[in-house]
Amino acid sequence: MNNGLWILKNAFVKTLYTLALIGTFLLGISFLLSFTAIFNFDRKPGEHLALSFDGVQLRLQTIFTQLMDFNFKSVLDYVKNPNVLDGFMNSYKVLGISLIAIIMLGSMIGFLVILLPIKLRRSFHQFLDYFEGLPDLLFIFIINMLNIFLLQEFNYKIFPMYGFGSSQPVAFPVIVTSFLPAVLFGLYLIKCFEEEEQAHYVQLGYSKGLSRSYLYAVYMLRNILPVLSLKFRVILYMMLSNLILVEHMYHYNITLTNQIIEQVFRGQHLLPLIYGIGILILPVIILEYVINLIVKETVIRKRGEFQL
């Protein structure tokens, strides 16, 4: 009986939490689109910019009226739009390649640094710490200037950066989207390994003659996966924000992110904007849930079954 009440209470709390998230999202979008209506730009030359809340009220009424027109047929019509499908495929092609690059490069950085001697490891660790606070725009600017410098001085272009018409570069957005998150992922991996090194089973493994590489790759990696999976959420959303930034800056027209930005600044309809944001973020949320589920089922529940 108590177990049934606990399950019912847990389901009720999760439902309220989900509804609160949806409500917060809708209110945030509504006030974002209504913010520009505060300023009255219809002024004579020489007059100061005026503030008016009448436009905000009218804009909010229009937005809430559009929300009442929501139906699943409009969602299907939006998804079937060829521009939306092409934009989704282009954006997630870059995200998929970037995710693979982040995991591979970050894992290489983490394992190579953690297996170094202690003094050398600390030097590399301090060097990687500088990347943790490096702005994304600075890295994009450095790559941009390097590409332009090589083109001017040696007539050699590493990769195309800008997109015009149907041209959608892949190499440049993948590098910009994945480099800093990969370094950050490698840094997370190193910090998790360093904390796990203090565990007693590590010294027991050394006493049994296990090599460092085997002990780190098999036992320690399995034990840090729960913590690492929580921090990987930051990597996923950092990768998504980098993609939005680079696709907008370099004129990649056939992308879902630019369609969303166009709806924010020029669109008059709220529902396509919500659908676009939902389609863009939903796969990331599903991936985050799948990662947590895999870690929970394969690591946390079987933690006591693995012995040195």
Side-chain angles (χ1 to χ4, degrees), residues 5-65:
L5 289 175
W6 182 85
I7 294 175
L8 185 61
K9 178 183 177 182
N10 193 28
F12 180 71
V13 170
K14 287 184 177 180
T15 303
L16 285 180
Y17 178 71
T18 303
L19 292 175
L21 284 179
I22 295 174
T24 304
F25 170 72
L26 294 178
L27 286 175
I29 293 293
S30 302
F31 282 105
L32 173 65
L33 296 180
S34 303
F35 175 74
T36 55
I38 296 177
F39 304 99
N40 185 6
F41 294 99
D42 188 17
R43 309 292 291 175
K44 296 179 180 179
E47 292 183 347
H48 294 290
L49 184 66
L51 300 179
S52 174
F53 291 95
D54 295 335
V56 177
Q57 182 179 359
L58 182 61
R59 184 75 61 84
L60 285 174
Q61 289 177 354
T62 303
I63 288 173
F64 289 127
T65 301

Side-chain angles (χ1 to χ4, degrees), residues 68-81:
M68 298 304 294
D69 294 333
F70 168 79
N71 56 73
F72 289 102
K73 184 179 181 300
S74 62
V75 179
L76 294 176
D77 292 338
Y78 181 82
V79 173
K80 291 178 181 179
N81 189 330

Side-chain angles (χ1 to χ4, degrees), residues 9-182:
K9 178 183 177 182
N10 193 28
F12 180 71
V13 170
K14 287 184 177 180
T15 303
L16 285 180
Y17 178 71
T18 303
L19 292 175
L21 284 179
I22 295 174
T24 304
F25 170 72
L26 294 178
L27 286 175
I29 293 293
S30 302
F31 282 105
L32 173 65
L33 296 180
S34 303
F35 175 74
T36 55
I38 296 177
F39 304 99
N40 185 6
F41 294 99
D42 188 17
R43 309 292 291 175
K44 296 179 180 179
E47 292 183 347
H48 294 290
L49 184 66
L51 300 179
S52 174
F53 291 95
D54 295 335
V56 177
Q57 182 179 359
L58 182 61
R59 184 75 61 84
L60 285 174
Q61 289 177 354
T62 303
I63 288 173
F64 289 127
T65 301
Q66 292 178 4
L67 284 176
M68 298 304 294
D69 294 333
F70 168 79
N71 56 73
F72 289 102
K73 184 179 181 300
S74 62
V75 179
L76 294 176
D77 292 338
Y78 181 82
V79 173
K80 291 178 181 179
N81 189 330
N83 291 331
V84 173
L85 292 176
D86 291 341
F88 177 84
M89 295 303 297
N90 288 332
S91 294
Y92 267 87
K93 178 172 68 175
V94 174
L95 282 177
I97 299 173
S98 299
L99 183 60
I100 296 173
I102 288 170
I103 295 174
M104 293 180 62
L105 181 59
S107 299
M108 288 176 59
I109 293 173
F111 277 100
L112 288 177
V113 172
I114 202 66
L115 293 176
L116 291 173
I118 299 297
K119 291 185 178 180
L120 193 57
R121 182 205 299 178
R122 289 176 181 172
S123 300
F124 275 96
H125 197 165
Q126 291 175 354
F127 173 73
L128 292 175
D129 283 337
Y130 288 107
F131 287 94
E132 194 170 8
L134 186 66
D136 300 333
L137 280 175
L138 178 61
F139 176 71
I140 295 174
F141 176 77
I142 292 172
I143 295 294
N144 198 345
M145 291 299 101
L146 176 63
N147 202 20
I148 294 174
F149 172 78
L150 292 176
L151 184 61
Q152 288 180 340
E153 297 295 328
F154 304 101
N155 196 25
Y156 176 75
K157 182 168 63 174
I158 305 177
F159 36 65
M161 295 185 299
Y162 290 89
F164 297 100
S166 60
S167 174
Q168 302 292 329
V170 176
F172 177 70
V174 166
I175 292 173
V176 173
T177 303
S178 61
F179 180 77
L180 287 180

Side-chain angles (χ1 to χ4, degrees), residues 90 157 160-170 247-255 258:
N90 288 332
K157 182 168 63 174
M161 295 185 299
Y162 290 89
F164 297 100
S166 60
S167 174
Q168 302 292 329
V170 176
E247 287 185 342
H248 181 64
M249 288 179 60
Y250 290 90
H251 306 287
Y252 302 157
N253 295 322
I254 309 178
T255 59
N258 265 342

